[in-house]
Amino acid sequence: TSYFHYSRDLESEKRSAAQLIVTMAANFGELILLLGDHHTPSRTHTIPEPFQRMLVPNKMQHVICTGNIGGDAAEYERLKELVGNGSCVHCVAGEYDFGGASGGGGCSSPSADGGNAALNNLPPSFPETKVIQLGSFRIGIIGGHQVVPWGEMSALAMVRRRLNVDVLVCGWRRKTGVVEYEGGYYIFPGSITGAYSSHDPKVNPSFLLLAVQGTNIVCYVYELINGEVDVSKTEFSKQQ
């Protein structure tokens, strides 16, 4: 059985978006930040200021990044600072990540060039896919560009089954949120910077937070719309 609930607002919470993150960190089990498609500095300069104020270091246990982090190692270093541990930053390669996929572990793995990436101020190489275990959930991570047709749910379902995961986190697609499809869940963080794509020239910056408690996940979607942070919530449980 599964439980899937969606709500467009959090009026009952009566808290600001930033305060909500601090409260979640205190009250939930594992708190995971989902983001990606930075495209800095090629398409945008930085993460929007309202989001920077919200992303407080040492409040989250993991960071999941769907790739296209950009050509500056400083962006990757910021992700490590959020959790204080590079082994808890889980990145995959996007189609524009320099250096390509290493095929190995996660973001904490050495780059394929033996460390020259750090010397050249480039982020390390990332794998094409990664699978991690959070609570009772196996979570797969992909950049999304390698799925053809792009964004097609049936194609994503094939990837989810191949990786044998309960949840597939996918980048590239700019529409954010959670989709339930053919017995699995698909999460799309969108672009943390609001970077445009070839199929969507106007994008609202967004990121997600997952609160994992055993067989349950609460997903908060943060989207910057006309300078205001909009928050929506989705809850789901692992299917038996």
Side-chain angles (χ1 to χ4, degrees):
T1 59
S2 68
Y3 171 63
F4 189 80
H5 172 71
Y6 179 72
S7 173
R8 276 305 303 169
D9 60 56
L10 298 176
E11 289 298 325
S12 61
E13 300 286 350
K14 300 298 183 183
R15 303 183 181 98
S16 69
Q19 188 177 6
L20 178 60
I21 292 178
V22 176
T23 302
M24 289 172 64
N27 296 335
F28 287 91
E30 290 186 293
L31 196 59
I32 301 97
L33 170 65
L34 276 62
L35 45 66
D37 287 304
H38 297 63
H39 286 288
T40 54
S42 60
R43 301 185 185 182
T44 185
H45 297 296
T46 187
I47 295 173
E49 183 63 30
F51 283 178
Q52 292 191 37
R53 292 195 300 265
M54 294 166 61
L55 299 178
V56 182
N58 301 316
K59 298 299 181 183
M60 294 152 288
Q61 284 70 52
H62 297 270
V63 173
I64 291 176
C65 178
T66 58
N68 289 327
I69 196 171
D72 190 345
E75 290 295 333
Y76 170 55
E77 292 300 320
R78 289 189 188 100
L79 298 185
K80 292 199 299 182
E81 289 171 2
L82 287 175
V83 292
N85 185 347
S87 65
C88 294
V89 178
H90 313 285
C91 292
V92 294
E95 72 268 47
Y96 294 108
D97 283 322
F98 299 108
S102 65
C107 275
S108 58
S109 301
S111 59
D113 62 6
N116 289 335
L119 294 177
N120 295 328
N121 201 33
L122 295 174
S125 298
F126 307 130
E128 282 286 327
T129 64
K130 188 173 184 182
V131 176
I132 60 176
Q133 184 80 32
L134 295 175
S136 298
F137 292 86
R138 277 176 58 86
I139 297 180
I141 313 162
I142 62 171
H145 59 285
Q146 64 271 72
V147 177
V148 179
W150 287 336
E152 177 67 37
M153 291 306 303
S154 59
L156 289 171
M158 292 178 62
V159 175
R160 185 186 67 81
R161 289 191 292 268
R162 176 171 59 83
L163 296 178
N164 189 28
V165 294
D166 306 297
V167 178
L168 184 66
V169 179
C170 181
W172 191 85
R173 177 175 166 174
R174 294 300 190 263
K175 186 176 181 180
T176 61
V178 181
V179 175
E180 184 181 14
Y181 182 80
E182 290 188 352
Y185 297 102
Y186 303 81
I187 301 180
F188 304 96
S191 169
I192 181 69
T193 60
Y196 68 86
S197 70
S198 58
H199 60 284
D200 196 346
K202 185 173 176 56
V203 178
N204 291 325
S206 62
F207 70 89
L208 278 72
L209 281 177
L210 299 185
V212 179
Q213 294 179 304
T215 59
N216 300 309
I217 287 182
V218 182
C219 176
Y220 290 88
V221 180
Y222 294 82
E223 188 173 6
L224 191 62
I225 303 175
N226 298 323
E228 299 291 332
V229 178
D230 178 76
V231 189
S232 60
K233 182 174 73 172
T234 302
E235 300 176 37
F236 57 90
S237 299
K238 184 172 181 178
Q239 300 197 13
Q240 303 298 324

